[in-house]
């Protein structure tokens, strides 16, 4: 496992746990599936032609953003007593 691979797992794992705990595990599963599919798309495109990997990267990035913002929103709502 490369260092880059391990580093790119830290955000999705922590965001996924926060999203599922503070918001909704079902929606977490949907967004996590998008992340995993995006990684496969990225990998396949990278093997074919490294310049064509943008779709997989945007799928992964989008899932990361949704999970991070969702987890943070859920945490803040919990802290605020909602």
């Amino acid at each position: 496992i490369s260092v880059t691979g391990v580093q790119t797992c830290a955000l999705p794992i922590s965001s996924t746990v926060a999203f599922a705990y503070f918001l909704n595990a079902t929606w977490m599963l949907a967004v996590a599936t998008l992340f995993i599919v995006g990684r496969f798309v990225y990998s396949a495109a990278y093997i074919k032609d490294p310049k064509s990997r943008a779709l997989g990267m945007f799928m992964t990035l989008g899932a990361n953003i949704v999970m991070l913002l969702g987890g943070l929103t859920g945490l803040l709502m919990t802290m605020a007593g909602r």
Side-chain angles (χ1 to χ4, degrees):
I1 299 177
S2 70
V3 174
T4 305
V6 173
Q7 290 171 345
T8 58
C9 287
L11 177 64
I13 290 171
S14 58
S15 297
T16 300
V17 170
F19 193 100
Y21 183 79
F22 293 114
L23 289 180
N24 187 309
T26 303
W27 282 105
M28 178 276 308
L29 183 59
V31 179
T33 301
L34 176 66
F35 175 84
I36 291 168
V37 170
R39 294 308 298 167
F40 279 109
V41 169
Y42 180 91
S43 177
Y46 190 82
I47 291 169
K48 182 179 173 187
D49 176 19
K51 294 178 183 177
S52 68
R53 60 190 174 181
L55 175 62
M57 189 272 300
F58 283 116
M59 291 171 69
T60 303
L61 178 64
N64 276 333
I65 291 169
V66 169
M67 291 295 233
L68 179 62
L69 294 179
L72 287 174
T73 300
L75 173 64
L76 293 173
M77 288 171 45
T78 301
M79 290 174 64
R82 293 181 86 200

